[in-house]
Amino acid sequence: MFLTISTTGTPERPATDLGFLLHKHPDNSQAFSTSYGRASVLYPEADDRRCTAALLLEVDAVALVRRGKGKGRGGAPDAALAQYVNDRPYAASSLLAVALSAVFSSAMRGVCNAKPELPSQPRPLRIEVPVLPARGGPVLVRRLFEPLGWAVDVEPVALDVEFPEWGDSRYVRLVLESQTLTLAESLRHLYVLLPVLDDAKHYWVASDEVDKLLRAGEGWLPEHPEQKLITSRYLSRRWSLTRQAMERLELVRLAEADDSEVEDIDNAVAAETEAEEKPTPLAVQRREAILAALGASGAARVLDLGCGQGQLVQALLKDPKFTEIVGVDVSMRALTIASRRLKLDRMGERQASRVKLMQGSLAYTDNRLKGYDAAVLSEVIEHLDLPRLPALEYAVFGAARPRTVLVTTPNVEYNVRWESLPAGHVRHGDHRFEWTREEFRAWARSVAERHGYETEFVPVGPDDPEVGPPTQMAVFTLSAGSEKEAKAA
């Protein structure tokens, strides 16, 4: 199996930086032992103007069979001869993807200690794979790579050049070119999509393959139009693993959605001229409104339910009157990002004692959420299907019963003020609904009545005289009688 990675450069930004990124010196030829054979890295060319790194994997077919890894998809044994005589040594497959990960592991993670600024810089890249199995042909190759920013040149390989009437084989020659991707992104694309095109893992697929897929697919797989096909093929069509991966990808997508699209719309419309002062993003106005309401409530111990990537938790930590802050989210990835944002691993002991991040679903009661002064549901409810709202309502208002609950959600009436938002569209593709002011108030009042709360409504953002504010917030306060009952319980 053979693959080359090429880049171009200038004397100021030499192409030989590729050697630093790959952690392989261009003047050396290096060899590595893998579970499947011998991997070699060499540089056919290396100067300031152009540098090419080649990865050659020599598969030991005999050793592969003897170690029990010469099985076909699903673990069924191939015919005896086919275990030794096959295309594995010649065609890029899952074995080459594994070699990429083993030999270029630091490059795939975007780590370069010698020149730490390099991994984040896009650079001109050209990747060539002379022989690649492609079940689905050139059309599928383009469907997989073009959405990721690659210019794709894919050419079918004939069954026999002397007999063109026999047609094309299932193999293609592939050339990928990009000016906008980093090397780490490129390697992760290859790591996932080479075995997807082959559609046959050459080793046993266990549950840890889901984690590998999500790590390599970070930043691109959740939004890829062929996400389902990629996931299914990468996991050898094992339904239980595919379902698990799809569920986790959906949670990642929700966690990453946050308010970015709304903020982009808000800022684009509000900035009438370049000279005009940049408006405060709606997400910032929302956090400021929440902090003001929490301060007015006298809360010290606060729950951020559906905390996402920790923006509100970070803001709460800056105010010493909040002595205990708990972020809860269903997505472990979102909590990991929140932990990095907060720098929990470097936080002082006293500060760290004030904050906790927990995984949990708001559709179920959770005893860990009881006893807090306040809970915040910021831009959460609109991501739930309406039939699931009663479960969240009971978990928060009926079981946890904080003294104060803040709920924010978009005001759909305000959407007409955003010219870039098509009529009839919600602000984000994952919103299951967006309520008018009257619909939100009717829901909030019915919740308050059922669970012994009083409620008031606060506009967030500019309060338009015709359509109201862009965000609406309900402040629920446990009534005096209900609070006494809660303390007695």
Side-chain angles (χ1 to χ4, degrees):
M1 302 182 194
F2 191 68
L3 175 148
T4 60
I5 304 170
S6 302
T7 188
T8 56
T10 64
E12 297 76 25
R13 193 184 177 196
T16 48
D17 280 347
L18 183 63
F20 287 101
L21 286 165
L22 293 174
H23 294 252
K24 306 291 181 289
H25 198 287
D27 291 340
N28 300 329
S29 174
Q30 297 171 270
F32 307 85
S33 295
T34 75
S35 302
Y36 313 110
R38 175 187 173 93
S40 301
V41 179
L42 58 149
Y43 288 78
E45 55 183 344
D47 56 40
D48 288 352
R49 296 292 180 182
R50 184 174 175 84
C51 185
T52 297
L55 174 64
L56 173 66
L57 178 63
E58 300 172 88
V59 174
D60 187 340
V62 175
L64 194 63
V65 173
R66 287 175 178 171
R67 282 194 295 268
K69 296 175 181 176
K71 305 292 184 181
R73 188 174 64 212
D78 297 328
L81 181 60
Q83 293 187 44
Y84 298 94
V85 182
N86 50 54
D87 65 355
R88 289 177 201 148
Y90 315 107
S93 67
S94 57
L95 300 185
L96 184 59
V98 173
L100 276 172
S101 177
V103 176
F104 298 140
S105 59
S106 296
M108 192 175 291
R109 297 197 311 271
V111 174
C112 181
N113 294 329
K115 293 189 175 184
E117 73 281 2
L118 290 182
S120 62
Q121 296 175 356
R123 61 187 311 111
L125 291 169
R126 177 183 173 92
I127 295 174
E128 296 187 52
V129 186
V131 184
L132 171 66
R135 297 181 190 272
V139 172
L140 180 60
V141 175
R142 292 191 178 92
R143 280 166 47 198
L144 294 180
F145 282 101
E146 286 181 346
L148 300 174
W150 290 104
V152 180
D153 181 6
V154 56
E155 181 181 312
V157 176
L159 278 172
D160 192 315
V161 292
E162 295 186 6
F163 298 94
E165 64 273 14
W166 289 4
D168 296 327
S169 68
R170 70 181 186 92
Y171 302 94
V172 299
R173 174 183 173 272
L174 176 63
V175 178
L176 302 171
E177 291 187 290
S178 172
Q179 302 285 328
T180 60
L181 294 170
T182 66
L183 180 64
E185 290 170 329
S186 305
L187 292 174
R188 290 197 293 268
H189 295 167
L190 291 170
Y191 176 77
V192 173
L193 297 181
L194 289 181
V196 167
L197 284 167
D198 189 12
D199 197 18
K201 283 290 185 76
H202 295 94
Y203 52 86
W204 178 248
V205 176
S207 58
D208 63 339
E209 290 294 312
V210 175
D211 295 325
K212 294 177 185 178
L213 173 63
L214 295 184
R215 282 197 299 269
E218 180 179 347
W220 62 271
L221 184 55
E223 301 297 335
H224 198 291
E226 300 294 340
Q227 178 200 103
K228 188 172 182 180
L229 179 143
I230 292 169
T231 303
S232 175
R233 283 195 176 192
Y234 182 88
L235 297 170
S236 294
R237 304 180 191 272
R238 291 188 59 187
W239 168 239
S240 60
L241 296 181
T242 302
R243 181 176 59 188
Q244 178 186 342
M246 293 295 292
E247 290 174 351
R248 290 173 61 181
L249 284 167
E250 176 65 9
L251 293 175
V252 168
R253 192 177 64 80
L254 293 180
E256 291 178 342
D258 203 66
D259 297 310
S260 57
E261 294 191 13
V262 177
E263 291 178 32
D264 289 344
I265 295 171
D266 189 32
N267 290 340
V269 175
E272 294 181 358
T273 66
E274 291 184 6
E276 192 174 48
E277 184 180 353
K278 186 177 180 179
T280 303
L282 181 58
V284 174
Q285 296 182 60
R286 188 182 303 118
R287 283 194 289 274
E288 290 174 349
I290 290 170
L291 291 171
L294 289 173
S297 74
R301 304 173 67 237
V302 179
L303 296 166
D304 182 7
L305 304 178
C307 66
Q309 299 177 14
Q311 292 93 331
L312 179 58
V313 173
Q314 187 177 43
L316 290 167
L317 271 173
K318 295 177 182 178
D319 193 331
K321 70 171 170 282
F322 300 114
T323 59
E324 184 177 353
I325 305 152
V326 177
V328 181
D329 204 281
V330 72
S331 168
M332 279 304 302
R333 171 172 162 73
L335 293 173
T336 299
I337 295 173
S339 178
R340 291 174 184 165
R341 177 191 295 274
L342 300 170
K343 298 180 174 65
L344 290 182
D345 57 335
R346 287 177 278 169
M347 192 176 287
E349 184 177 350
R350 184 175 179 181
Q351 186 80 330
S353 66
R354 296 174 56 213
V355 62
K356 182 191 301 182
L357 299 178
M358 304 190 311
Q359 185 182 29
S361 170
L362 302 182
Y364 303 97
T365 58
D366 190 336
N367 289 332
R368 298 175 299 173
L369 307 184
K370 292 182 178 180
Y372 285 85
D373 300 327
V376 179
L377 290 159
S378 179
E379 308 301 284
V380 171
I381 61 172
E382 64 273 11
H383 290 278
L384 275 68
D385 292 315
L386 283 170
R388 300 185 67 187
L389 270 185
L392 176 143
E393 173 193 332
Y394 178 75
V396 176
F397 295 92
R401 293 187 72 72
R403 191 172 67 243
T404 300
V405 180
L406 308 180
V407 179
T408 73
T409 193
N411 168 24
V412 70
E413 296 170 79
Y414 193 87
N415 288 358
V416 297
R417 294 292 184 257
W418 280 318
E419 295 177 3
S420 56
L421 186 63
H425 284 234
V426 293
R427 298 183 196 178
H428 189 275
D430 186 65
H431 287 185
R432 302 302 199 258
F433 61 87
E434 286 178 0
W435 276 333
T436 65
R437 287 169 290 172
E438 185 54 40
E439 288 171 330
F440 178 56
R441 291 179 181 185
W443 174 80
R445 287 171 180 143
S446 65
V447 169
E449 183 178 353
R450 281 192 292 272
H451 298 284
Y453 283 81
E454 298 172 354
T455 186
E456 63 175 312
F457 300 94
V458 178
V460 179
D463 196 357
D464 189 287
E466 295 181 4
V467 297
T471 294
Q472 44 193 341
M473 179 167 70
V475 180
F476 297 84
T477 305
L478 200 60
S479 62
S482 298
E483 188 171 1
K484 290 179 181 177
E485 292 175 8
K487 288 180 179 179

